[in-house]
Amino acid sequence: MASSHTHVHGDPQRANESLAHKHSATDVADVLAPDTGVIYTCPMHPQIRASAPGSCPICGMTLEPVLPAGTQVRNIELESMTRRFWVGLVLSVPLLMMTMGEMILPFDINSAIDGLFSGVPHWMRASWSQCLQALLATPVVLWGGWPFLARGWTSFATRQLNMFSLIGLGVAAAYVFSVFALFFPDALPQAFRHGHELPLYFEAAAVIVTLVLLGQVLELRARSRTSSAIRDLLKLAPHTAVRIGSDGEETVPLEAVIVGDILRVKPGSKIPVDGEVTDGRSSVDESMITGESIPSEKVAGSKVTGATVNQTGTFLMRAEKVGSDTLLARIVQMVADAGRSRAPIQKLADQVSGWFVLAVIGIAVVAFLVWAVAGPAPALANALVVAISVLIIACPCALGLATPVSVIVGVGRGAQEGVLIKDAEALEMMEKVDTVVVDKTGTLTEGRPRVQKVVAVKPAQESQIPGYAASLEGASEHPLAQAITTFAKEAGAATSHVDTFDSVPGKGVTGKIDGHAASLGNARLMADLSVDCRSVEHDTDRLREAGQTVMYLAIDGELAGYIGVADPVKGTTPEAVRQLKATGVRVVMLTGDNEVTARAVAASLALDDVKAGVLPEDKYRHVQELQKSGRIVAMAGDGVNDAPALAQANVGIAMGTGTDVAMNSARVVLVKGDLRGIARARSLSMATMKNIRQNLFFAFAYNAIGIPIAAGVLYPWLGILLSPIVASGAMALSSVSVIGNALRLRGVRT
């Protein structure tokens, strides 16, 4: 096993191409472990690269793979933090009961413990209950909190102060002081004591560690979803391909396919790579790329995309793009790159935390020196009391809780409204969103074509049209056919047996019904059969302009009527668009659908802009362009084709009715696929961010007031010297105030 190697950027040309699939220089690291071929990076500091799991030397965050494997692997860091959290929780609860039990229990639990072991001698001068506190807290701090203590130490060693610096300093101060007090009680001056009680802060150290462990578990679970999205994308690619060689057909691994190979694609199978049809014809479900629910007809010369699904026909294709050059591979890389990007506010938080730690340490040192030189007797003991009080009262518990508690409550409130928010940054960014980019199919529309209009040329034939059309389409699985058969069934139309049935790819179907020659299809089929459609041309053009697909029905060589099929707009979409625009949000539609249909939908909803016929790269780039122009972008979509744009957007929003890939790539999921959830998410974001600002004010105000008092600024006038016990109580009170304020979010109206 190669040793872990962490560094800051290097020569990317040495990257392992088999893993990176020939990614660009900014995609991979220059040092790989030869036995694993996996490189790790920091989500907040992408310049950090390592050949083994570990922690970022700058911020202390857990490193994660640059490009996850295609299969689920154990998240050792998550398992470790989860195990440490549960152990910490089990041990911290009785510890809290012992230190705060008199507030909630009708008896003194410490006296009960001391009475229970009164006949058992021990060499310590402390009571049995105090010894038990040390026994409960020690594994929580030294084992459960070891990662934070180690990261805190590293932050000081590398001079990259961060939140772990505060956590490590606060926990170490509380625990080391308590251990010293337990073993050397006589060495403590009376100023340390509250009456005759021995000052111990084991519960503070243990509870801080347990709360931080809980935050780490929640963060690691949220971050693992990005890897899950990439794994879902990788699973879309088939594992094998059927190659035509000099010896006939052979099934080969996908990795063995090279540019120029002739491949056979069978009905129902996935297209292995990007290429061009050389022989045969079929319809291909390209919804994962275009988002369009209606399959695309493919003939010789047509382009096909890897991982899309062939339907009924068989064809031969020439491989043109393989490996990392395929569209699916590019989508995977886009999701990985966008998923690793982070908002600048996180770097600002690091800087603030670093200055806060320096300020606290500086105040503690200055206070110690002042009291040691000019303080009343015993000067040194009082100086130590003051320094420890400053460190304990400045413990980052309240500051650390200010954001996550509000986020947890806010996310829970959103879940009640059918809005699943995956991380704190998404919740923060929703407040700032000024542009919402939406996909059409499955997002604005239902994603299921329906018959919108049935028109008969001769009124006497009106009742025949649904039955004839459904009879011809009865055996087809095409979405348009299913829309017609569903409509006929709901209308109670009678269907008949079809003789001499024939399917004309890309045009329609023909057959005989009750002795009559019948055909159903597009204008090209009617032209082939010499059926005159000019009499309805004006009306059918209007249907197309309204976003409908028109199919003609001919009986015995004469036009009998036509059927308009469309993917209807969701009933809640118009209200959702109105709500967003009323708050000043710009709504833009990007779709792989045709220009006429897209503009018809956009006009009906009064959208601000529309781009039609766009591919996944186009959506991704358009989101980037909006961001470069200063826009804060939320992207809403439901398909695989939306995944790169969802990941790139400041906030990706997926429909709960869409694909797993879209939901894993997005940071917000609308469970019911209702776009009104975006307006709810913004309202919730504004309420939560207001709550967080209040909490941060409480936390900083508490420190601004508490630290000077702990440093002894009131002593010359009022004779007040804050003991570590009172400092610990003040710390707990600040945490309670922050939690209580956050709980108000449960009643917020969205």
Side-chain angles (χ1 to χ4, degrees), residues 136 202 253 343 401 539 566 738:
L136 290 171
F202 288 118
L401 285 173
D539 293 331
V738 166

Side-chain angles (χ1 to χ4, degrees), residues 99 102-103 130 174 177-178 181 188-204 385-386 388-390 392-393 702 710 721-733:
T99 56
E102 67 274 6
M103 301 180 184
Q130 292 170 333
F177 173 79
S178 299
L188 296 177
Q190 187 59 37
F192 274 107
R193 298 175 180 270
H194 186 67
H196 297 288
E197 191 70 26
L198 191 64
L200 300 177
Y201 307 101
F202 288 118
E203 86 286 355
V385 169
V386 168
I388 293 178
S389 295
V390 169
I392 290 178
I393 206 168
Y702 147 75
L721 180 62
L722 197 66
S723 75
I725 291 177
V726 177
S728 179
M731 178 188 66
L733 181 62

Side-chain angles (χ1 to χ4, degrees), residues 139-209:
V140 178
V141 174
L142 298 185
W143 178 72
W146 179 253
F148 312 137
L149 296 174
R151 293 175 188 180
W153 174 261
T154 301
S155 71
F156 285 104
T158 59
R159 300 180 183 179
Q160 297 285 349
L161 302 185
N162 52 55
M163 207 64 181
F164 291 108
S165 310
L166 297 172
I167 294 168
L169 191 62
V171 170
Y175 180 76
V176 172
F177 173 79
S178 299
V179 170
F180 180 85
L182 187 68
F183 282 91
F184 307 102
D186 292 339
L188 296 177
Q190 187 59 37
F192 274 107
R193 298 175 180 270
H194 186 67
H196 297 288
E197 191 70 26
L198 191 64
L200 300 177
Y201 307 101
F202 288 118
E203 86 286 355
V207 170
I208 291 170
V209 168

Side-chain angles (χ1 to χ4, degrees), residues 292-293 440-442 445-450 452 547-548 565-569 601:
E292 180 55 49
S293 56
K440 181 182 78 70
T441 305
T445 66
E446 295 180 359
R448 296 184 301 274
R450 294 184 183 180
Q452 303 294 312
Q548 297 185 29
V565 181
D567 186 6
V569 172
V601 173

